[in-house]
Short mmCIF file of all heavy atoms in Angstrom, two decimals:
data_model
loop_
_atom_site.label_atom_id
_atom_site.label_comp_id
_atom_site.label_asym_id
_atom_site.label_seq_id
_atom_site.Cartn_x
_atom_site.Cartn_y
_atom_site.Cartn_z
N MET A 100 13.27 -7.63 -3.87
CA MET A 100 12.58 -8.14 -2.74
C MET A 100 11.33 -8.82 -3.17
O MET A 100 10.61 -8.28 -4.00
CB MET A 100 12.27 -7.05 -1.73
CG MET A 100 11.21 -7.43 -0.75
SD MET A 100 10.94 -6.25 0.55
CE MET A 100 12.27 -6.76 1.58
N ASN A 101 11.02 -9.92 -2.59
CA ASN A 101 9.81 -10.66 -2.79
C ASN A 101 8.69 -10.00 -2.03
O ASN A 101 8.79 -9.92 -0.83
CB ASN A 101 9.96 -12.11 -2.41
CG ASN A 101 8.76 -12.97 -2.66
OD1 ASN A 101 7.65 -12.46 -2.91
ND2 ASN A 101 8.93 -14.27 -2.66
N THR A 102 7.67 -9.51 -2.69
CA THR A 102 6.61 -8.77 -1.99
C THR A 102 5.74 -9.67 -1.10
O THR A 102 5.00 -9.19 -0.22
CB THR A 102 5.69 -8.03 -3.00
OG1 THR A 102 5.09 -8.97 -3.90
CG2 THR A 102 6.46 -6.93 -3.75
N ASN A 103 5.86 -11.04 -1.21
CA ASN A 103 5.15 -11.92 -0.33
C ASN A 103 5.75 -11.86 1.08
O ASN A 103 5.12 -12.25 2.08
CB ASN A 103 5.21 -13.34 -0.86
CG ASN A 103 4.39 -13.49 -2.10
OD1 ASN A 103 3.33 -12.89 -2.27
ND2 ASN A 103 4.80 -14.35 -3.01
N GLU A 104 6.96 -11.38 1.19
CA GLU A 104 7.65 -11.28 2.48
C GLU A 104 7.33 -10.03 3.30
O GLU A 104 7.69 -9.92 4.44
CB GLU A 104 9.17 -11.33 2.26
CG GLU A 104 9.67 -12.58 1.61
CD GLU A 104 11.13 -12.54 1.21
OE1 GLU A 104 11.78 -11.52 1.48
OE2 GLU A 104 11.61 -13.49 0.61
N LEU A 105 6.56 -9.14 2.67
CA LEU A 105 6.17 -7.87 3.32
C LEU A 105 4.94 -8.02 4.22
O LEU A 105 4.15 -8.89 3.99
CB LEU A 105 5.88 -6.83 2.23
CG LEU A 105 7.03 -6.45 1.35
CD1 LEU A 105 6.61 -5.57 0.16
CD2 LEU A 105 8.12 -5.72 2.12
N ALA A 106 4.84 -7.16 5.18
CA ALA A 106 3.65 -7.15 6.05
C ALA A 106 2.64 -6.14 5.48
O ALA A 106 2.80 -4.98 5.60
CB ALA A 106 4.03 -6.72 7.47
N TRP A 107 1.61 -6.65 4.79
CA TRP A 107 0.62 -5.83 4.10
C TRP A 107 -0.50 -5.50 5.02
O TRP A 107 -0.85 -6.35 5.85
CB TRP A 107 0.08 -6.60 2.90
CG TRP A 107 1.11 -6.80 1.82
CD1 TRP A 107 1.92 -7.86 1.63
CD2 TRP A 107 1.39 -5.87 0.76
NE1 TRP A 107 2.69 -7.69 0.52
CE2 TRP A 107 2.42 -6.49 -0.02
CE3 TRP A 107 0.92 -4.59 0.42
CZ2 TRP A 107 2.94 -5.86 -1.14
CZ3 TRP A 107 1.49 -3.99 -0.71
CH2 TRP A 107 2.48 -4.60 -1.45
N PHE A 108 -1.06 -4.32 4.88
CA PHE A 108 -2.26 -3.95 5.66
C PHE A 108 -3.14 -3.06 4.84
O PHE A 108 -2.70 -2.32 3.98
CB PHE A 108 -1.91 -3.35 7.01
CG PHE A 108 -1.19 -2.01 6.94
CD1 PHE A 108 -1.89 -0.86 7.01
CD2 PHE A 108 0.19 -1.95 6.83
CE1 PHE A 108 -1.28 0.38 6.95
CE2 PHE A 108 0.84 -0.73 6.83
CZ PHE A 108 0.11 0.43 6.85
N LYS A 109 -4.42 -3.16 5.15
CA LYS A 109 -5.44 -2.39 4.42
C LYS A 109 -5.78 -1.11 5.19
O LYS A 109 -5.77 -1.12 6.43
CB LYS A 109 -6.70 -3.27 4.28
CG LYS A 109 -7.68 -2.74 3.20
CD LYS A 109 -8.97 -3.52 3.13
CE LYS A 109 -8.81 -4.97 2.98
NZ LYS A 109 -10.10 -5.70 2.76
N SER A 110 -6.15 -0.12 4.48
CA SER A 110 -6.51 1.16 5.07
C SER A 110 -7.65 1.00 6.11
O SER A 110 -8.58 0.22 5.88
CB SER A 110 -6.95 2.18 4.04
OG SER A 110 -7.55 3.26 4.58
N SER A 111 -7.63 1.77 7.17
CA SER A 111 -8.75 1.80 8.11
C SER A 111 -9.99 2.36 7.48
O SER A 111 -11.04 2.19 8.03
CB SER A 111 -8.34 2.59 9.35
OG SER A 111 -8.05 3.90 9.01
N TYR A 112 -9.88 3.03 6.32
CA TYR A 112 -11.06 3.57 5.64
C TYR A 112 -11.69 2.55 4.75
O TYR A 112 -12.75 2.79 4.23
CB TYR A 112 -10.63 4.76 4.79
CG TYR A 112 -10.20 5.98 5.63
CD1 TYR A 112 -8.88 6.31 5.83
CD2 TYR A 112 -11.22 6.79 6.25
CE1 TYR A 112 -8.49 7.39 6.56
CE2 TYR A 112 -10.80 7.87 6.99
CZ TYR A 112 -9.44 8.19 7.16
OH TYR A 112 -9.09 9.24 7.90
N SER A 113 -11.08 1.39 4.54
CA SER A 113 -11.59 0.37 3.63
C SER A 113 -12.63 -0.45 4.41
O SER A 113 -12.56 -0.65 5.57
CB SER A 113 -10.47 -0.59 3.22
OG SER A 113 -9.51 0.11 2.49
N SER A 114 -13.61 -0.93 3.66
CA SER A 114 -14.68 -1.73 4.26
C SER A 114 -14.50 -3.19 3.71
O SER A 114 -13.68 -3.39 2.85
CB SER A 114 -16.07 -1.23 3.91
OG SER A 114 -16.32 -1.38 2.52
N ASN A 115 -15.25 -4.07 4.23
CA ASN A 115 -15.20 -5.45 3.74
C ASN A 115 -16.30 -5.73 2.74
O ASN A 115 -16.66 -6.92 2.48
CB ASN A 115 -15.34 -6.43 4.94
CG ASN A 115 -14.11 -6.39 5.82
OD1 ASN A 115 -13.03 -6.21 5.31
ND2 ASN A 115 -14.34 -6.57 7.10
N GLU A 116 -16.80 -4.72 2.07
CA GLU A 116 -17.94 -4.89 1.14
C GLU A 116 -17.44 -5.00 -0.28
O GLU A 116 -18.27 -4.92 -1.24
CB GLU A 116 -18.85 -3.69 1.31
CG GLU A 116 -19.56 -3.68 2.65
CD GLU A 116 -20.43 -2.53 2.83
OE1 GLU A 116 -20.93 -1.93 1.80
OE2 GLU A 116 -20.78 -2.22 3.99
N GLY A 117 -16.19 -5.27 -0.53
CA GLY A 117 -15.67 -5.52 -1.86
C GLY A 117 -15.43 -4.38 -2.76
O GLY A 117 -15.32 -4.53 -3.96
N GLY A 118 -15.29 -3.14 -2.22
CA GLY A 118 -15.04 -1.99 -3.02
C GLY A 118 -13.62 -1.93 -3.51
O GLY A 118 -12.86 -2.94 -3.47
N ALA A 119 -13.23 -0.84 -3.94
CA ALA A 119 -11.84 -0.64 -4.50
C ALA A 119 -10.90 -0.31 -3.29
O ALA A 119 -10.90 0.80 -2.80
CB ALA A 119 -11.83 0.56 -5.50
N CYS A 120 -10.18 -1.30 -2.87
CA CYS A 120 -9.30 -1.17 -1.71
C CYS A 120 -7.85 -1.37 -2.08
O CYS A 120 -7.61 -2.19 -2.96
CB CYS A 120 -9.68 -2.17 -0.59
SG CYS A 120 -11.37 -1.97 -0.01
N LEU A 121 -7.00 -0.69 -1.42
CA LEU A 121 -5.57 -0.88 -1.61
C LEU A 121 -4.97 -1.36 -0.27
O LEU A 121 -5.51 -1.16 0.82
CB LEU A 121 -4.91 0.46 -1.91
CG LEU A 121 -5.32 1.13 -3.25
CD1 LEU A 121 -4.60 2.46 -3.38
CD2 LEU A 121 -5.00 0.21 -4.39
N GLU A 122 -3.89 -2.11 -0.41
CA GLU A 122 -3.06 -2.50 0.73
C GLU A 122 -1.67 -1.85 0.58
O GLU A 122 -1.22 -1.64 -0.56
CB GLU A 122 -2.91 -3.97 0.79
CG GLU A 122 -4.18 -4.76 1.05
CD GLU A 122 -4.02 -6.21 1.10
OE1 GLU A 122 -3.19 -6.79 0.35
OE2 GLU A 122 -4.73 -6.85 1.93
N ILE A 123 -1.02 -1.58 1.68
CA ILE A 123 0.31 -1.05 1.61
C ILE A 123 1.21 -1.90 2.57
O ILE A 123 0.75 -2.50 3.45
CB ILE A 123 0.37 0.45 1.99
CG1 ILE A 123 0.08 0.66 3.43
CG2 ILE A 123 -0.47 1.29 1.11
CD1 ILE A 123 0.59 2.06 3.93
N ALA A 124 2.43 -1.86 2.19
CA ALA A 124 3.51 -2.44 3.02
C ALA A 124 4.65 -1.42 3.07
O ALA A 124 5.09 -0.98 2.00
CB ALA A 124 3.99 -3.75 2.47
N THR A 125 5.10 -1.09 4.23
CA THR A 125 6.18 -0.08 4.35
C THR A 125 7.47 -0.69 4.71
O THR A 125 7.54 -1.66 5.47
CB THR A 125 5.79 0.99 5.39
OG1 THR A 125 5.58 0.41 6.64
CG2 THR A 125 4.52 1.73 4.96
N ARG A 126 8.52 -0.14 4.17
CA ARG A 126 9.89 -0.45 4.50
C ARG A 126 10.58 0.91 4.72
O ARG A 126 10.05 1.94 4.28
CB ARG A 126 10.55 -1.17 3.30
CG ARG A 126 9.92 -2.44 2.89
CD ARG A 126 10.15 -3.63 3.81
NE ARG A 126 11.60 -3.90 3.74
CZ ARG A 126 12.18 -4.78 4.52
NH1 ARG A 126 11.47 -5.42 5.40
NH2 ARG A 126 13.47 -4.98 4.48
N PRO A 127 11.70 0.95 5.34
CA PRO A 127 12.36 2.25 5.56
C PRO A 127 12.61 3.06 4.30
O PRO A 127 12.46 4.29 4.29
CB PRO A 127 13.68 1.88 6.24
CG PRO A 127 13.41 0.61 6.92
CD PRO A 127 12.44 -0.14 6.01
N GLU A 128 12.94 2.35 3.21
CA GLU A 128 13.22 3.09 1.97
C GLU A 128 12.13 3.04 0.91
O GLU A 128 12.27 3.74 -0.12
CB GLU A 128 14.53 2.45 1.36
CG GLU A 128 14.38 1.01 0.88
CD GLU A 128 14.37 -0.08 1.98
OE1 GLU A 128 14.59 0.22 3.14
OE2 GLU A 128 14.11 -1.24 1.63
N THR A 129 11.09 2.32 1.12
CA THR A 129 10.00 2.21 0.09
C THR A 129 8.66 2.01 0.74
O THR A 129 8.53 1.55 1.87
CB THR A 129 10.26 1.01 -0.83
OG1 THR A 129 10.35 -0.15 -0.04
CG2 THR A 129 11.52 1.12 -1.68
N VAL A 130 7.66 2.37 -0.05
CA VAL A 130 6.20 2.04 0.30
C VAL A 130 5.65 1.27 -0.92
O VAL A 130 5.77 1.74 -2.05
CB VAL A 130 5.40 3.32 0.53
CG1 VAL A 130 3.94 2.98 0.76
CG2 VAL A 130 5.96 4.10 1.72
N HIS A 131 5.16 0.06 -0.65
CA HIS A 131 4.60 -0.78 -1.68
C HIS A 131 3.09 -0.72 -1.62
O HIS A 131 2.54 -0.74 -0.52
CB HIS A 131 5.06 -2.24 -1.48
CG HIS A 131 6.53 -2.38 -1.49
ND1 HIS A 131 7.28 -2.65 -2.54
CD2 HIS A 131 7.46 -2.27 -0.46
CE1 HIS A 131 8.55 -2.70 -2.23
NE2 HIS A 131 8.69 -2.48 -0.97
N ILE A 132 2.46 -0.63 -2.80
CA ILE A 132 1.01 -0.48 -2.84
C ILE A 132 0.51 -1.59 -3.84
O ILE A 132 1.05 -1.78 -4.88
CB ILE A 132 0.62 0.94 -3.40
CG1 ILE A 132 1.32 1.99 -2.57
CG2 ILE A 132 -0.87 1.05 -3.47
CD1 ILE A 132 1.29 3.37 -3.13
N ARG A 133 -0.66 -2.21 -3.41
CA ARG A 133 -1.25 -3.23 -4.32
C ARG A 133 -2.75 -3.28 -4.15
O ARG A 133 -3.29 -2.69 -3.19
CB ARG A 133 -0.64 -4.61 -4.01
CG ARG A 133 -1.14 -5.25 -2.75
CD ARG A 133 -0.57 -6.59 -2.52
NE ARG A 133 -1.04 -7.17 -1.28
CZ ARG A 133 -0.56 -8.30 -0.76
NH1 ARG A 133 0.39 -9.01 -1.40
NH2 ARG A 133 -1.01 -8.77 0.40
N ASP A 134 -3.41 -3.88 -5.11
CA ASP A 134 -4.89 -4.07 -5.02
C ASP A 134 -5.13 -5.15 -3.99
O ASP A 134 -4.51 -6.23 -4.02
CB ASP A 134 -5.34 -4.56 -6.42
CG ASP A 134 -6.86 -4.70 -6.52
OD1 ASP A 134 -7.51 -5.00 -5.44
OD2 ASP A 134 -7.38 -4.65 -7.61
N SER A 135 -6.03 -4.91 -3.05
CA SER A 135 -6.32 -5.85 -2.00
C SER A 135 -6.92 -7.18 -2.42
O SER A 135 -6.93 -8.11 -1.74
CB SER A 135 -7.14 -5.19 -0.91
OG SER A 135 -8.46 -4.89 -1.40
N LYS A 136 -7.48 -7.11 -3.67
CA LYS A 136 -8.14 -8.32 -4.17
C LYS A 136 -7.18 -9.14 -5.16
O LYS A 136 -7.60 -10.15 -5.65
CB LYS A 136 -9.43 -7.97 -4.87
CG LYS A 136 -10.48 -7.46 -3.89
CD LYS A 136 -11.65 -6.82 -4.59
CE LYS A 136 -11.37 -5.54 -5.35
NZ LYS A 136 -10.72 -4.47 -4.68
N ASN A 137 -6.03 -8.61 -5.44
CA ASN A 137 -5.11 -9.23 -6.37
C ASN A 137 -3.73 -9.32 -5.78
O ASN A 137 -2.82 -8.55 -6.22
CB ASN A 137 -5.17 -8.48 -7.72
CG ASN A 137 -4.37 -9.22 -8.80
OD1 ASN A 137 -3.87 -10.30 -8.57
ND2 ASN A 137 -4.24 -8.55 -9.92
N HIS A 138 -3.50 -10.21 -4.91
CA HIS A 138 -2.19 -10.28 -4.16
C HIS A 138 -1.06 -10.69 -5.11
O HIS A 138 0.10 -10.54 -4.79
CB HIS A 138 -2.31 -11.24 -3.01
CG HIS A 138 -3.22 -10.68 -1.96
ND1 HIS A 138 -3.54 -11.44 -0.86
CD2 HIS A 138 -3.94 -9.58 -1.81
CE1 HIS A 138 -4.33 -10.76 -0.08
NE2 HIS A 138 -4.57 -9.60 -0.68
N THR A 139 -1.35 -11.34 -6.25
CA THR A 139 -0.29 -11.79 -7.11
C THR A 139 -0.09 -10.85 -8.27
O THR A 139 0.79 -11.02 -9.14
CB THR A 139 -0.61 -13.17 -7.71
OG1 THR A 139 -1.80 -13.16 -8.40
CG2 THR A 139 -0.71 -14.23 -6.59
N GLY A 140 -0.89 -9.72 -8.33
CA GLY A 140 -0.79 -8.77 -9.42
C GLY A 140 0.39 -7.82 -9.22
O GLY A 140 1.20 -7.95 -8.28
N PRO A 141 0.40 -6.79 -9.99
CA PRO A 141 1.55 -5.83 -9.93
C PRO A 141 1.44 -4.97 -8.70
O PRO A 141 0.38 -4.86 -8.11
CB PRO A 141 1.31 -4.96 -11.20
CG PRO A 141 -0.16 -5.12 -11.53
CD PRO A 141 -0.54 -6.45 -11.07
N THR A 142 2.53 -4.40 -8.26
CA THR A 142 2.58 -3.51 -7.13
C THR A 142 3.28 -2.19 -7.63
O THR A 142 4.01 -2.20 -8.60
CB THR A 142 3.43 -4.07 -5.98
OG1 THR A 142 4.77 -4.28 -6.37
CG2 THR A 142 2.85 -5.37 -5.45
N LEU A 143 2.92 -1.16 -6.94
CA LEU A 143 3.53 0.17 -7.19
C LEU A 143 4.48 0.41 -6.00
O LEU A 143 4.08 0.29 -4.87
CB LEU A 143 2.43 1.24 -7.27
CG LEU A 143 2.92 2.68 -7.37
CD1 LEU A 143 3.61 2.90 -8.67
CD2 LEU A 143 1.70 3.62 -7.24
N THR A 144 5.66 0.81 -6.26
CA THR A 144 6.68 1.06 -5.27
C THR A 144 7.09 2.54 -5.32
O THR A 144 7.49 2.99 -6.45
CB THR A 144 7.89 0.14 -5.39
OG1 THR A 144 7.48 -1.21 -5.34
CG2 THR A 144 8.85 0.41 -4.27
N ILE A 145 6.96 3.25 -4.24
CA ILE A 145 7.29 4.68 -4.21
C ILE A 145 8.16 4.98 -2.98
O ILE A 145 8.25 4.13 -2.06
CB ILE A 145 6.00 5.57 -4.19
CG1 ILE A 145 5.11 5.24 -3.00
CG2 ILE A 145 5.24 5.39 -5.55
CD1 ILE A 145 3.90 6.12 -2.91
N THR A 146 8.68 6.18 -2.93
CA THR A 146 9.48 6.58 -1.78
C THR A 146 8.59 7.04 -0.65
O THR A 146 7.41 7.48 -0.88
CB THR A 146 10.44 7.74 -2.10
OG1 THR A 146 9.62 8.88 -2.42
CG2 THR A 146 11.34 7.39 -3.29
N PRO A 147 9.03 6.98 0.59
CA PRO A 147 8.21 7.52 1.70
C PRO A 147 7.90 8.99 1.49
O PRO A 147 6.77 9.39 1.90
CB PRO A 147 9.12 7.27 2.92
CG PRO A 147 9.99 6.12 2.55
CD PRO A 147 10.23 6.30 1.10
N THR A 148 8.77 9.76 0.92
CA THR A 148 8.46 11.18 0.67
C THR A 148 7.26 11.33 -0.30
O THR A 148 6.42 12.17 -0.07
CB THR A 148 9.68 11.88 0.07
OG1 THR A 148 10.77 11.72 0.97
CG2 THR A 148 9.46 13.38 -0.16
N THR A 149 7.22 10.52 -1.36
CA THR A 149 6.12 10.59 -2.26
C THR A 149 4.82 10.14 -1.61
O THR A 149 3.77 10.72 -1.83
CB THR A 149 6.43 9.71 -3.47
OG1 THR A 149 7.64 10.17 -4.16
CG2 THR A 149 5.30 9.71 -4.52
N TRP A 150 4.90 9.12 -0.77
CA TRP A 150 3.74 8.62 -0.08
C TRP A 150 3.15 9.72 0.86
O TRP A 150 1.96 9.95 0.90
CB TRP A 150 4.07 7.38 0.74
CG TRP A 150 2.93 6.81 1.53
CD1 TRP A 150 2.85 6.77 2.89
CD2 TRP A 150 1.74 6.20 1.03
NE1 TRP A 150 1.69 6.18 3.21
CE2 TRP A 150 0.96 5.84 2.16
CE3 TRP A 150 1.30 5.98 -0.25
CZ2 TRP A 150 -0.27 5.21 2.02
CZ3 TRP A 150 0.04 5.36 -0.36
CH2 TRP A 150 -0.72 4.97 0.74
N THR A 151 4.03 10.42 1.59
CA THR A 151 3.60 11.47 2.46
C THR A 151 2.96 12.62 1.67
O THR A 151 1.91 13.16 2.08
CB THR A 151 4.80 12.05 3.25
OG1 THR A 151 5.36 10.95 4.06
CG2 THR A 151 4.41 13.17 4.18
N ALA A 152 3.49 12.99 0.58
CA ALA A 152 2.95 14.01 -0.33
C ALA A 152 1.56 13.59 -0.79
O ALA A 152 0.62 14.40 -0.84
CB ALA A 152 3.91 14.33 -1.50
N PHE A 153 1.44 12.31 -1.20
CA PHE A 153 0.14 11.81 -1.66
C PHE A 153 -0.89 11.93 -0.56
O PHE A 153 -2.02 12.36 -0.74
CB PHE A 153 0.28 10.36 -2.09
CG PHE A 153 -1.04 9.70 -2.37
CD1 PHE A 153 -1.79 9.99 -3.48
CD2 PHE A 153 -1.53 8.71 -1.45
CE1 PHE A 153 -2.99 9.36 -3.68
CE2 PHE A 153 -2.71 8.09 -1.69
CZ PHE A 153 -3.51 8.45 -2.80
N LEU A 154 -0.53 11.46 0.64
CA LEU A 154 -1.50 11.48 1.77
C LEU A 154 -1.90 12.94 2.10
O LEU A 154 -3.09 13.18 2.47
CB LEU A 154 -0.87 10.86 3.00
CG LEU A 154 -0.71 9.35 2.89
CD1 LEU A 154 -0.01 8.87 4.17
CD2 LEU A 154 -1.99 8.63 2.68
N ARG A 155 -1.06 13.84 1.93
CA ARG A 155 -1.42 15.28 2.21
C ARG A 155 -2.44 15.78 1.22
O ARG A 155 -3.25 16.69 1.52
CB ARG A 155 -0.20 16.17 2.15
CG ARG A 155 0.66 15.99 3.38
CD ARG A 155 1.82 17.01 3.40
NE ARG A 155 2.66 16.81 4.56
CZ ARG A 155 3.99 16.77 4.52
NH1 ARG A 155 4.59 16.99 3.41
NH2 ARG A 155 4.59 16.58 5.64
N THR A 156 -2.43 15.23 0.01
CA THR A 156 -3.39 15.73 -1.04
C THR A 156 -4.76 15.09 -0.93
O THR A 156 -5.70 15.64 -1.42
CB THR A 156 -2.86 15.50 -2.46
OG1 THR A 156 -2.71 14.13 -2.67
CG2 THR A 156 -1.51 16.26 -2.61
N VAL A 157 -4.87 13.91 -0.29
CA VAL A 157 -6.14 13.24 -0.23
C VAL A 157 -6.87 13.36 1.12
O VAL A 157 -8.01 12.95 1.21
CB VAL A 157 -6.00 11.67 -0.58
CG1 VAL A 157 -5.54 11.51 -1.97
CG2 VAL A 157 -5.10 11.00 0.42
N ARG A 158 -6.32 14.00 2.01
CA ARG A 158 -6.98 14.21 3.35
C ARG A 158 -7.81 15.44 3.31
O ARG A 158 -7.85 16.31 2.73
CB ARG A 158 -5.93 14.35 4.45
CG ARG A 158 -5.26 13.01 4.64
CD ARG A 158 -4.39 13.13 5.90
NE ARG A 158 -3.85 11.76 6.16
CZ ARG A 158 -2.97 11.52 7.02
NH1 ARG A 158 -2.47 12.47 7.75
NH2 ARG A 158 -2.53 10.32 7.18
#
């Protein structure tokens, strides 16, 4: 899948002050993660189960 076709969004915790921000794009079978300042750079793709486990540890 071409990641340019995904609907990316930034966390509601992110500010517009240029800090370290991530964007995610969700699909039923995957969660894609990228640097919000580098749209052409690498992405990390994980399962929804892994994403949920990650969110539980950072809250």
Side-chain angles (χ1 to χ4, degrees):
M100 162 171 279
N101 182 343
T102 58
N103 291 327
E104 299 170 3
L105 297 170
W107 292 94
F108 65 94
K109 197 183 308 185
S110 167
S111 61
Y112 292 102
S113 297
S114 69
N115 291 326
E116 297 181 17
C120 300
L121 297 177
E122 293 180 325
I123 68 163
T125 59
R126 303 283 296 173
E128 66 284 353
T129 56
V130 176
H131 303 268
I132 306 165
R133 72 179 180 187
D134 183 333
S135 65
K136 293 169 292 308
N137 186 4
H138 294 176
T139 60
T142 62
L143 175 65
T144 303
I145 59 176
T146 66
T148 302
T149 301
W150 179 246
T151 300
F153 169 73
L154 291 179
R155 285 187 182 133
T156 64
V157 296
R158 289 188 177 172

